[in-house]
């Protein structure tokens, strides 16, 4: 009798322990998820609270004003917002096709002995601090661009109709185009690493079937690899865009930090992160500090909107793939 009841009792105790452990694990991971939401809300609220004076004085007009005069305490976020978005878009226009080429080379073309070496080099680039990129941009890239590249761009592309104003201006080397190039170099390792990993998940049978039907390598990539990994590729692109929008030190070195709204990509500009980094230590009044903190809230909002658009796009793609 006891021999038959003891194992059942032991099994019951084990089930109870497993249930307690499962509940504890569930509460632990739930707390981790709630912590992320609480931290996000706390950061947003703290920045809005810190910028409440500027928000009360300028209202939503803060987002559309070009003014930035610490002496007269007149502030607006239009120029930093414009510089942030323009430099990030330039970076993505350069980084996305280059990252795609790197990922395709490593997964489809490069010999096996080269894949590990190039992959390690990309990971090394991703680990370099942003201030190193900024110093390299200021002391190496800026002189090269100002002496050899920008004079030709101003003399030739600056004369083009419609888009000419984008490429005309003094070739001083510092400017939004330079900042976009440096940002592109910084985000290429992140985007290309994501693309390479997701391209490796494509089943070999799909590609072999396409080759057997007479498809070229480009057709296999365009018609098989990209559709199969589309959602992950878009996610990687927006990950790089989020990094480009929030970059501070590298942009501060090469952007020029001029609070002027101009169409020329060769002219110095400003960004939200660079403005905060340059001027926070010099903020000698409550309104000045409040305006800078409100700028941080604007950057938070811009990044949130961009990532929300990415989520909506991924959700829409997932629905289409499900259908």
């Amino acid at each position: 009798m006891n021999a038959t009841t003891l194992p059942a009792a032991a099994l019951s105790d084990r089930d109870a322990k497993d249930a307690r452990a499962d509940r504890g694990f569930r509460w632990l991971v739930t707390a981790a998820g709630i912590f992320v939401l609480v931290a996000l809300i706390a950061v947003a609220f703290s920045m809005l609270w810190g910028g409440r004076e500027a928000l009360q004085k300028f209202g939503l007009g803060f987002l559309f004003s070009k003014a930035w005069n610490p002496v007269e305490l007149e502030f607006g976020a239009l120029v930093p917002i414009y510089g942030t978005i323009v430099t990030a878009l330039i970076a993505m226009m350069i980084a996305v096709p280059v990252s795609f080429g790197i990922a395709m080379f490593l997964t489809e073309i490069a010999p096996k002995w080269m894949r590990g070496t190039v992959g390690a080099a990309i990971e090394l680039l991703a680990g370099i601090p942003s201030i190193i990129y900024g110093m390299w941009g200021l002391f190496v890239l800026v002189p090269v661009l100002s002496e050899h590249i920008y004079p030709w761009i101003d003399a030739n592309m600056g004369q083009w109709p419609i888009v000419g104003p984008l490429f005309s201006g003094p070739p001083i080397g510092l400017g939004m185009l330079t900042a976009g190039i440096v940002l592109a170099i910084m985000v290429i390792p992140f985007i290309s690493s994501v693309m390479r990993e997701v391209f490796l998940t494509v089943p070999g049978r799909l590609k072999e079937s396409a080759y057997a039907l007479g498809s070229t390598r480009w057709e296999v990539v365009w018609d098989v690899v990209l559709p199969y990994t589309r959602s992950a590729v878009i996610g990687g692109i927006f990950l790089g865009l989020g990094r480009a929008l929030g970059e501070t030190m590298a942009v501060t070195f090469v952007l020029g930090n001029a609070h002027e709204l101009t169409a020329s990509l060769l002219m110095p500009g400003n960004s939200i992160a660079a403005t905060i980094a340059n001027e926070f230590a010099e903020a000698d009044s409550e309104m000045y500090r409040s305006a800078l903190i409100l700028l941080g809230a604007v950057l938070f909002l811009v990044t949130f909107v961009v990532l929300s658009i990415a989520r909506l796009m991924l959700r829409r793609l997932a629905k289409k793939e499900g259908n």
Side-chain angles (χ1 to χ4, degrees):
M1 186 90 176
N2 293 335
T4 58
T5 56
L6 285 177
L11 184 61
S12 178
D13 291 340
R14 181 176 179 180
D15 289 341
K17 291 180 180 179
D18 289 344
R20 286 195 299 269
D22 185 62
R23 285 195 300 270
F25 178 75
R26 185 164 57 249
W27 281 108
L28 183 62
V29 296
T30 301
I34 294 175
F35 172 77
V36 172
L37 295 177
V38 171
L40 184 68
I41 295 172
V43 169
F45 178 77
S46 63
M47 287 190 295
L48 287 175
W49 181 257
R52 66 189 185 280
E53 293 186 14
L55 188 61
Q56 290 173 355
K57 180 178 180 180
F58 304 111
L60 292 180
F62 180 79
L63 301 175
F64 308 103
S65 173
K66 298 186 295 182
W68 193 267
N69 191 337
V71 177
E72 299 181 2
L73 299 180
E74 292 292 332
F75 302 102
L78 182 60
V79 174
I81 292 174
Y82 174 76
T84 300
I85 295 176
V86 169
T87 53
L89 290 178
I90 293 173
M92 300 312 294
M93 291 176 64
I94 299 172
V96 171
V98 173
S99 300
F100 176 76
I102 293 173
M104 280 294 100
F105 174 75
L106 292 178
T107 56
E108 301 293 333
I109 300 175
K112 291 183 178 180
W113 63 267
M114 185 181 292
R115 295 178 183 180
T117 303
V118 178
I122 293 174
E123 294 173 358
L124 179 62
L125 287 174
I128 296 177
S130 61
I131 192 171
I132 302 300
Y133 283 105
M135 295 175 64
W136 172 81
L138 179 62
F139 296 113
V140 178
L141 184 62
V142 167
V144 172
L145 294 176
S146 63
E147 295 177 9
H148 305 289
I149 308 299
Y150 285 173
W152 183 91
I153 291 178
D154 179 49
N156 294 274
M157 299 175 65
Q159 309 303 318
W160 290 357
I162 302 178
V163 297
L166 295 175
F167 304 104
S168 62
I172 59 178
L174 298 172
M176 289 186 288
L177 183 56
T178 306
I181 294 172
V182 173
L183 282 177
I185 297 173
M186 294 183 63
V187 302
I188 280 174
F190 295 93
I191 301 176
S192 60
S193 296
V194 173
M195 288 186 177
R196 180 187 61 176
E197 294 300 324
V198 298
F199 288 167
L200 289 174
T201 64
V202 179
R205 288 174 294 180
L206 291 179
K207 295 187 287 186
E208 292 170 2
S209 300
Y211 284 126
L213 293 174
S215 299
T216 63
R217 178 169 288 166
W218 170 252
E219 289 172 338
V220 170
V221 170
W222 188 258
D223 297 327
V224 177
V225 175
L226 277 181
Y228 190 88
T229 60
R230 179 170 48 191
S231 298
V233 168
I234 293 176
I237 291 173
F238 276 92
L239 176 66
L241 179 58
R243 171 71 190 274
L245 287 171
E247 179 53 43
T248 304
M249 294 309 300
V251 174
T252 303
F253 273 89
V254 299
L255 187 54
N257 306 313
H259 208 87
E260 297 179 2
L261 190 64
T262 175
S264 175
L265 301 179
L266 306 185
M267 292 289 291
N270 219 334
S271 70
I272 296 176
T275 300
I276 296 173
N278 281 323
E279 303 188 24
F280 201 85
E282 302 174 0
D284 54 0
S285 65
E286 290 295 329
M287 182 60 67
Y288 197 174
R289 283 190 292 270
S290 179
L292 292 174
I293 296 174
L294 188 58
L295 267 183
V298 172
L299 179 58
F300 181 90
L301 178 62
V302 170
T303 306
F304 179 79
V305 169
V306 169
L307 296 181
S308 298
I309 293 174
R311 296 296 302 175
L312 291 175
M313 291 180 61
L314 293 176
R315 185 175 299 176
R316 186 171 291 182
L317 287 174
K319 288 183 179 179
K320 289 182 179 180
E321 292 172 357
N323 293 333

